[in-house]
Coordinates of all heavy atoms in Angstrom, one line a residue:
T208 N -38.6 31.8 -36.3 CA -39.9 31.2 -36.6 C -39.8 29.9 -37.3 O -40.5 28.9 -36.9 CB -40.7 32.2 -37.4 OG1 -40.8 33.5 -36.8 CG2 -42.1 31.7 -37.8
M209 N -38.9 29.8 -38.2 CA -38.6 28.5 -38.9 C -38.2 27.4 -38.0 O -38.7 26.3 -38.0 CB -37.6 28.7 -40.0 CG -37.2 27.5 -40.9 SD -36.0 26.4 -40.1 CE -34.5 27.5 -40.2
L210 N -37.3 27.8 -37.1 CA -36.8 26.7 -36.1 C -37.9 26.3 -35.2 O -38.0 25.1 -34.9 CB -35.6 27.3 -35.3 CG -34.4 27.6 -36.1 CD1 -33.3 28.3 -35.2 CD2 -33.7 26.3 -36.6
T211 N -38.7 27.2 -34.7 CA -39.8 26.8 -33.8 C -40.8 25.9 -34.5 O -41.3 24.9 -33.9 CB -40.5 28.0 -33.1 OG1 -41.0 28.8 -34.2 CG2 -39.5 28.8 -32.3
R212 N -41.1 26.2 -35.7 CA -42.1 25.4 -36.4 C -41.6 24.1 -36.9 O -42.3 23.1 -36.9 CB -42.7 26.2 -37.6 CG -43.5 27.5 -37.2 CD -44.0 28.3 -38.4 NE -44.7 29.4 -37.9 CZ -45.2 30.3 -38.8 NH1 -45.0 30.2 -40.1 NH2 -45.9 31.4 -38.3
K213 N -40.4 24.1 -37.4 CA -39.8 22.9 -37.9 C -39.4 21.9 -36.9 O -39.6 20.6 -37.0 CB -38.6 23.2 -38.8 CG -38.0 22.0 -39.6 CD -36.9 22.5 -40.5 CE -36.4 21.3 -41.4 NZ -35.4 21.7 -42.4
Y214 N -38.9 22.3 -35.7 CA -38.4 21.4 -34.7 C -39.2 21.4 -33.5 O -38.9 20.7 -32.5 CB -36.9 21.8 -34.4 CG -36.0 21.7 -35.6 CD1 -35.5 22.9 -36.2 CD2 -35.6 20.5 -36.1 CE1 -34.7 22.8 -37.3 CE2 -34.8 20.4 -37.2 CZ -34.3 21.6 -37.8 OH -33.5 21.5 -38.9
G215 N -40.2 22.2 -33.4 CA -41.1 22.2 -32.2 C -40.5 22.7 -31.0 O -40.9 22.4 -29.9
M216 N -39.5 23.6 -31.1 CA -38.8 24.1 -29.9 C -39.4 25.5 -29.6 O -40.1 26.1 -30.4 CB -37.3 24.3 -30.2 CG -36.9 25.1 -31.4 SD -35.1 25.3 -31.6 CE -34.6 23.6 -32.0
S217 N -39.1 26.0 -28.4 CA -39.6 27.3 -28.0 C -38.7 28.4 -28.6 O -37.6 28.1 -29.1 CB -39.6 27.4 -26.5 OG -38.2 27.4 -26.0
E218 N -39.2 29.6 -28.6 CA -38.4 30.7 -29.2 C -37.1 30.8 -28.3 O -36.0 31.1 -28.9 CB -39.2 32.0 -29.1 CG -40.2 32.1 -30.2 CD -40.8 33.5 -30.4 OE1 -40.2 34.4 -29.8 OE2 -41.8 33.6 -31.1
A219 N -37.2 30.6 -27.0 CA -36.0 30.8 -26.2 C -35.0 29.7 -26.6 O -33.8 30.0 -26.6 CB -36.4 30.6 -24.7
Q220 N -35.4 28.5 -26.8 CA -34.5 27.4 -27.2 C -33.9 27.7 -28.6 O -32.7 27.5 -28.8 CB -35.3 26.1 -27.3 CG -35.7 25.5 -25.9 CD -36.6 24.3 -26.1 OE1 -37.4 24.2 -26.9 NE2 -36.3 23.3 -25.2
A221 N -34.7 28.2 -29.5 CA -34.2 28.5 -30.8 C -33.2 29.7 -30.7 O -32.1 29.6 -31.4 CB -35.3 29.0 -31.7
Q222 N -33.4 30.7 -29.9 CA -32.5 31.8 -29.8 C -31.2 31.3 -29.1 O -30.1 31.8 -29.5 CB -33.1 32.9 -29.0 CG -32.3 34.2 -29.0 CD -32.0 34.7 -30.4 OE1 -32.9 35.0 -31.2 NE2 -30.7 34.7 -30.8
A223 N -31.3 30.4 -28.1 CA -30.1 29.9 -27.5 C -29.2 29.1 -28.5 O -28.0 29.2 -28.4 CB -30.5 29.0 -26.3
G224 N -29.9 28.4 -29.4 CA -29.1 27.7 -30.4 C -28.4 28.7 -31.3 O -27.2 28.4 -31.7
E225 N -29.1 29.8 -31.7 CA -28.4 30.8 -32.5 C -27.3 31.4 -31.8 O -26.2 31.7 -32.4 CB -29.5 31.8 -33.0 CG -30.4 31.4 -34.1 CD -29.6 31.2 -35.4 OE1 -29.2 32.2 -36.0 OE2 -29.3 30.1 -35.8
D226 N -27.4 31.7 -30.5 CA -26.3 32.3 -29.8 C -25.1 31.3 -29.7 O -24.0 31.8 -29.8 CB -26.8 32.6 -28.3 CG -27.8 33.7 -28.3 OD1 -27.9 34.5 -29.3 OD2 -28.6 33.9 -27.3
N227 N -25.4 30.0 -29.5 CA -24.3 29.1 -29.5 C -23.6 29.0 -30.9 O -22.4 29.0 -30.9 CB -24.9 27.7 -29.2 CG -23.8 26.6 -29.3 OD1 -22.8 26.7 -28.6 ND2 -24.0 25.6 -30.2
L228 N -24.4 29.1 -32.0 CA -23.8 29.1 -33.3 C -22.9 30.4 -33.5 O -21.9 30.3 -34.1 CB -24.9 29.0 -34.4 CG -25.4 27.6 -34.6 CD1 -26.7 27.6 -35.4 CD2 -24.3 26.8 -35.5
G229 N -23.4 31.5 -33.0 CA -22.6 32.7 -33.1 C -21.3 32.6 -32.4 O -20.3 33.1 -32.9
A230 N -21.3 31.9 -31.2 CA -20.0 31.7 -30.5 C -19.1 30.8 -31.3 O -17.9 31.0 -31.3 CB -20.3 31.2 -29.1
Q231 N -19.7 29.7 -31.8 CA -18.8 28.8 -32.6 C -18.2 29.5 -33.8 O -17.1 29.3 -34.2 CB -19.7 27.6 -33.1 CG -20.3 26.8 -32.0 CD -19.3 25.7 -31.5 OE1 -18.3 25.5 -32.1 NE2 -19.7 25.0 -30.4
A232 N -19.0 30.3 -34.5 CA -18.5 31.1 -35.7 C -17.4 32.0 -35.3 O -16.4 32.1 -35.9 CB -19.7 31.8 -36.3
A233 N -17.7 32.7 -34.2 CA -16.7 33.7 -33.7 C -15.3 33.1 -33.4 O -14.3 33.6 -33.7 CB -17.2 34.5 -32.5
A234 N -15.4 31.8 -32.9 CA -14.2 31.1 -32.6 C -13.4 30.8 -33.8 O -12.1 30.6 -33.8 CB -14.5 29.8 -31.8
E235 N -14.0 30.8 -35.0 CA -13.4 30.5 -36.3 C -13.1 31.8 -37.0 O -12.7 31.8 -38.2 CB -14.2 29.6 -37.2 CG -14.6 28.3 -36.5 CD -13.4 27.5 -36.1 OE1 -12.3 27.6 -36.8 OE2 -13.5 26.7 -35.1

């Protein structure tokens, strides 16, 4: 919710970003 309101992105875009961050974190 914070991401969609702050950056004007859709929920799908916000969730995709979180999924990408999860993958980056897992790599570390």
